[in-house]
Amino acid sequence: ADFTLWQHELLGSEDDPNSVVSKQLEFWKGALADLPDQIELPTDHPRPAATSYRGDRVDFELGADLHARIAELAKSNGATVFMVLQAALAALLSKLGAGNDIPLGTPIAGRTDQALDNLVGFFVNTLVLRTDVSGNPSFAQLLDRVRETALAAYAHQDVPFEHLVEVLNPTRSLAHHPLFQIMLALQNAPESDFQLFGLDVSFLPTRTGTAKFDLNFSLWERRGPNGSCQGIEGNIEYAADLFDPETV
């Protein structure tokens, strides 16, 4: 409750054109203007009138050498590993027929103040990162575009996604998620040990048989004690309404 009150005070009122929330909403109105209702990808099955949310996942891994090369490419271009992965995914989707305007959803931690560092709670928000792939850019040029778009989005991350959808009011459909249909998430925060007295504790990932989006790319960076690149684990959660596992 205290966090909610603090956030309301921070963002201010939409009735005030000089408030944080008003300025951030104006940014998103411009950034997402004329956004396509959905990405057009070749699918194995026609999109149903209403999604069933049935799904599964395909696991994959990027080796340590490729991970190191991605990290070096990011460093040499003033970008992050996530930005390189976003640019690569946008390029891939465009090559597969998604066009030149690629919106991707991504979660962001939402801990923008040091006062939140040690506070237990779920502050995650969802951002829409729009990538312009037009003009046959080189990968370095595409990465520049991605960096510029991502940094601008990070600077305007406080508007809750649900409220952004309400304000932008895109065409609503039971067949697909609003504003984006493909999610990209990179988990790169240091892992901590969870200990319970007298017990050995470990994470056991499981399949839920569900999918929230058409495609959801979830990636985890593995780093050595000295920060060395040890590979990127990943999986793609996919909507069974649209895709077969072999296609994914």
Side-chain angles (χ1 to χ4, degrees), residues 8 19-20 47 67 99 115 141-142 161 170 178 185-186 197:
H8 276 294
S19 67
V20 173
R47 186 181 294 275
H67 183 193
Q141 290 171 329
L142 181 61
F161 176 77
L186 175 65
F197 180 74

Side-chain angles (χ1 to χ4, degrees), residues 41-133:
L41 282 175
T43 60
D44 298 302
H45 313 285
R47 186 181 294 275
T51 183
S52 71
Y53 297 103
R54 294 182 303 107
D56 204 344
R57 74 167 195 245
V58 173
D59 299 325
F60 66 95
E61 183 174 355
L62 307 180
D65 178 61
L66 179 55
H67 183 193
R69 290 161 61 194
I70 291 172
E72 179 57 35
L73 179 63
K75 182 179 179 181
S76 63
N77 285 272
T80 64
V81 167
F82 174 82
M83 292 174 186
V84 174
L85 295 170
Q86 180 195 335
L89 179 56
L92 173 62
L93 294 172
S94 181
K95 291 286 187 182
L96 292 174
N100 294 324
D101 191 354
I102 311 293
L104 298 173
T106 191
I108 193 162
R111 294 177 181 268
T112 55
D113 191 293
Q114 288 184 340
L116 302 175
D117 287 353
N118 296 316
L119 187 63
V120 175
F122 188 77
F123 308 116
V124 173
N125 195 16
T126 300
L127 300 181
V128 184
L129 303 179
R130 190 176 188 178
T131 305
D132 176 11
V133 194

Side-chain angles (χ1 to χ4, degrees), residues 59-246:
D59 299 325
F60 66 95
E61 183 174 355
L62 307 180
D65 178 61
L66 179 55
H67 183 193
R69 290 161 61 194
I70 291 172
E72 179 57 35
L73 179 63
K75 182 179 179 181
S76 63
N77 285 272
T80 64
V81 167
F82 174 82
M83 292 174 186
V84 174
L85 295 170
Q86 180 195 335
L89 179 56
L92 173 62
L93 294 172
S94 181
K95 291 286 187 182
L96 292 174
N100 294 324
D101 191 354
I102 311 293
L104 298 173
T106 191
I108 193 162
R111 294 177 181 268
T112 55
D113 191 293
Q114 288 184 340
L116 302 175
D117 287 353
N118 296 316
L119 187 63
V120 175
F122 188 77
F123 308 116
V124 173
N125 195 16
T126 300
L127 300 181
V128 184
L129 303 179
R130 190 176 188 178
T131 305
D132 176 11
V133 194
S134 64
N136 194 30
S138 67
F139 192 78
Q141 290 171 329
L142 181 61
L143 187 53
D144 284 342
R145 296 179 187 179
V146 163
R147 181 181 64 242
E148 182 179 351
T149 300
L151 291 177
Y154 299 158
H156 299 83
Q157 63 174 277
D158 299 300
V159 178
F161 176 77
E162 294 80 2
H163 185 55
L164 183 62
V165 172
E166 182 181 327
V167 171
L168 296 181
N169 195 26
T171 302
R172 304 303 177 90
S173 172
L174 296 175
H176 59 78
H177 192 269
L179 300 184
F180 68 89
Q181 292 81 49
I182 298 177
M183 172 77 84
L184 173 63
L186 175 65
Q187 308 292 342
N188 54 8
E191 291 187 3
S192 58
D193 293 327
F194 181 59
Q195 299 180 346
L196 293 174
F197 180 74
L199 296 176
D200 293 327
V201 182
S202 61
F203 290 102
L204 295 176
T206 184
R207 297 177 185 274
T208 63
T210 63
K212 296 185 288 292
F213 311 103
D214 291 1
L215 296 168
N216 186 356
F217 293 77
S218 297
L219 307 170
W220 294 265
E221 273 196 282
R222 295 202 309 269
R223 296 274 185 170
N226 60 350
S228 61
C229 297
Q230 297 190 338
I232 298 177
E233 296 180 2
N235 66 62
I236 308 172
E237 183 183 83
Y238 64 92
D241 289 341
L242 303 176
F243 299 105
D244 295 331
E246 296 79 12

